[in-house]
């Protein structure tokens, strides 16, 4: 099977269509790269691009995109609701097929070196590529944002991992890294009580003593007059979707509240759902290559 | 997406490796055809081949295989435990991707015509391609087997759908048709009581008043000292795997017997398991194109 890596660069322009298309063109025109999706948010003034390719091709395309963004976006005048620190704000590599997280970490480091040296942009490594614990979390690195980084970058503990040790005024700085595929999974509850939603979200998520790879918050669905536990499952192999589902259901029982539905947002790796079928059907010794489509792609 | 049809020809030779390989070579050497699997059983004296291709390529490869089998297998001397009526006994076309059952029926008819005219073999159409109700079921057509067909073929109600109206002494006759992908799904019970297994199997299956597309029987797993409900799900879209699972569980409760596991035998279409994840997780509005691997193959 061919090695496949997903790359989801976020860049700090969500309004000017000419600039957005010109940057996305770098992915469209890259060789052996498949653009899966891109979406812009005007309020956030931010665009998220999703593409897949073999490791070398993905790295090349990501570099071209960062280069183009550094030419077209000027952080000195950029404003938006979403926290950001650079023209290309963050670039994660995600293992999809026949690739390990370690290989994605290596890709992140190689790209970071090239961006630092050739584009003169300070780069921080994050998540699985982080060089120390305080740089694992993106929000932690980005604290202070573009404006605050002119000072923050001078602190010894915030010396960039690659590139110059002072801010690139036009392009800011960039975060590059590797992470596991994320599953956005929301569970709907048969109540309009936000206090219940918030209490359940706190119990289910990691920081509240819940499941290791779950981030969660309560959300109101005003149109349907119900509440929702909105979750990010950041490692569906270790904290499977069914475990998050059953944990929400179990906590909701305390309030006599039922799960009335759920939703998967965006793309989801096949295995994340197959694992749930395996659990609920109690299948023994299942091998993913028994899936006809998997066999066909071999 | 490319049109894909699966074809699972069964031919009446499971011992002579030279003959088997020579017949399978017709699939290996066919253009744009992917051989997925083949397995022979010596007691049954029978080989089952599985391949996939676009409709035209699948039809061509199936014809070549039938032709080769008619040259190499002589039914006048063939013996085996498995019921059979021809050198190539049965050839089903199965819709896999972007193909309807109706298209597979058409393929079956075109192939049957060519086999009848060019190879002088009588052909019966079965399952979704059947021309009357009594020919839907393969076992019903095959009753009497090769030996009995010299008389059976003369009966007006058993006039072949294509080809000559008398037996081909060397090759027998062949059944060609179209059917939905089959899921072989077994549920293990926490008891060694075969009476319970048989009773549950009878309740769950169609002919016993159970689910429309379920065939089932009780089986003893001597090594583990438990019993099993062994099922063929002949339309997983209309009678989903989770419904068969829950039906077995529900009937077993009458005896205070628990489901202790299950197994999927051989290949299974991705959607058959994704449907189960959707049911148990209560996912609303899921679209199969949200599966990353599906999106990648588009």
């Amino acid at each position: 099977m061919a090695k496949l890596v997903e790359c989801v660069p976020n860049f700090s322009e969500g309004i000017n269509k000419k600039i957005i298309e010109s940057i996305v063109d770098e992915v469209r025109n890259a060789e052996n790269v498949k653009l899966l999706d891109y979406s812009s948010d005007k309020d956030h003034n931010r665009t998220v691009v999703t593409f897949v390719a073999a490791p070398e091709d993905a790295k090349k395309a990501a570099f071209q995109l960062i280069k183009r963004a550094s030419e077209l976006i000027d952080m000195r005048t950029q404003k938006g609701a979403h926290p950001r620190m650079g023209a290309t704000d963050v670039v994660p590599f995600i293992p999809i097929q026949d690739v390990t997280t370690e290989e994605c970490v290596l890709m992140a480091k190689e790209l970071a070196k090239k961006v630092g040296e050739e584009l003169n942009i300070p780069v921080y490594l994050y998540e699985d590529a982080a060089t120390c614990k305080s740089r694992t979390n993106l929000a932690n690195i980005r604290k202070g944002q573009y404006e605050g980084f002119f000072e923050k970058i001078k602190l010894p503990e915030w010396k960039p991992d690659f590139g110059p040790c002072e801010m690139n005024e036009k392009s800011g700085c960039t975060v590059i890294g590797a992470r596991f595929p994320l599953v956005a999974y929301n569970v709907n509850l048969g109540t309009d009580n936000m206090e219940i939603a918030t209490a359940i979200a706190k119990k289910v998520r990691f920081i509240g003593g819940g499941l290791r790879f779950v981030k969660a918050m309560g959300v109101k669905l005003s149109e349907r007059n119900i509440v929702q536990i909105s979750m990010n499952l950041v490692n569906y192999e270790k904290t499977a979707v069914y475990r998050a589902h059953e944990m929400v259901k179990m906590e909701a029982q305390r309030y006599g509240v039922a799960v009335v539905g759920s939703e998967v947002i965006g793309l989801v790796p096949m295995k994340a759902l197959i694992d749930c079928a395996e659990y609920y059907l109690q299948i023994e010794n299942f091998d993913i290559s028994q899936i006809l489509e998997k066999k066909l792609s071999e």
Side-chain angles (χ1 to χ4, degrees), chain A:
Chain A
M1 252 189 304
K3 283 174 187 270
L4 275 186
V5 170
E6 187 181 30
C7 184
V8 190
N10 290 219
F11 57 88
S12 298
E13 175 62 65
I15 302 164
N16 187 319
K17 275 196 180 163
K18 225 171 140 183
I19 292 177
I20 295 167
E21 292 302 324
S22 173
I23 293 171
V24 175
D25 274 346
E26 292 296 333
V27 178
R28 286 196 189 97
N29 300 334
E31 269 177 45
N32 303 318
V33 169
K34 184 163 179 149
L35 176 67
L36 287 188
D37 186 42
Y38 69 105
S39 64
S40 302
D41 188 290
K42 284 183 184 171
D43 294 330
H44 287 177
N45 198 11
R46 188 178 183 88
T47 295
V48 179
V49 183
T50 306
F51 67 87
V52 288
E56 277 306 308
D57 297 318
K59 217 168 60 189
K60 269 187 212 161
F63 180 79
Q64 290 304 324
L65 182 145
I66 295 170
K67 185 163 181 275
R68 199 90 188 99
S70 76
E71 292 160 6
L72 298 177
I73 299 171
D74 191 335
M75 290 304 291
R76 287 168 292 199
T77 52
Q78 198 270 5
K79 286 204 158 29
H82 198 291
R84 79 286 177 266
M85 55 196 272
T88 301
D89 200 47
V90 56
V91 182
F93 290 112
I94 301 153
I96 295 297
Q97 187 174 280
D98 213 25
V99 166
T100 61
T101 302
E102 289 67 35
E103 284 173 88
C104 288
V105 167
L106 196 65
M107 290 174 66
K109 287 186 177 166
E110 289 167 355
L111 177 64
K113 188 164 184 283
K114 198 170 154 79
V115 167
E117 288 173 2
E118 297 182 23
L119 304 180
N120 203 39
I121 296 172
V123 180
Y124 294 87
L125 295 166
Y126 88 125
E127 287 280 351
D128 293 332
T131 50
C132 62
K133 219 183 161 189
S134 57
R135 297 186 183 188
T136 305
N137 190 283
L138 174 63
N140 208 29
I141 299 175
R142 201 163 48 194
K143 205 174 283 170
Q145 297 192 51
Y146 170 78
E147 291 77 7
F149 252 86
F150 288 86
E151 288 306 312
K152 184 171 176 176
I153 200 170
K154 292 177 189 159
L155 301 174
E157 67 269 32
W158 287 108
K159 182 177 177 295
D161 290 303
F162 287 98
C165 291
E166 53 187 47
M167 270 294 264
N168 182 316
E169 283 197 31
K170 187 179 174 198
S171 304
C173 38
T174 292
V175 178
I176 296 175
R179 63 165 172 81
F180 207 71
L182 179 149
V183 177
Y185 180 65
N186 304 330
V187 175
N188 299 333
L189 300 178
T191 175
D192 63 351
N193 189 326
M194 264 304 285
E195 275 175 43
I196 290 177
T198 302
I200 292 173
K202 281 183 178 168
K203 291 265 198 246
V204 168
R205 67 195 182 198
F206 176 59
I207 51 167
L211 294 163
R212 173 71 183 91
F213 295 103
V214 174
K215 297 174 181 182
M217 63 177 185
V219 170
K220 185 144 203 148
L221 302 188
S222 303
E223 270 185 31
R224 292 174 64 179
N225 209 27
I226 58 173
V227 296
Q228 179 181 77
I229 311 299
S230 176
M231 292 181 281
N232 273 339
L233 310 181
V234 297
N235 188 330
Y236 67 82
E237 284 195 343
K238 291 186 176 157
T239 302
V241 183
Y242 71 83
R243 295 174 73 188
H245 179 90
E246 291 299 322
M247 184 69 82
V248 169
K249 196 196 238 173
M250 185 264 282
E251 291 294 340
Q253 275 165 6
R254 154 188 297 216
Y255 308 99
V257 168
V259 169
V260 297
S262 74
E263 52 182 4
V264 172
I265 306 295
L267 295 176
V268 57
M270 180 177 71
K271 196 167 179 303
L273 293 184
I274 296 297
D275 285 347
C276 296
E278 270 191 73
Y279 169 77
Y280 287 109
L281 294 175
Q282 301 172 253
I283 305 177
E284 302 169 7
N285 306 317
F286 188 73
D287 185 328
I288 197 84
S289 71
Q290 287 181 254
I291 305 269
L292 183 67
E293 286 82 350
K294 200 85 186 166
K295 184 95 181 173
L296 285 176
S297 73
E298 269 170 14

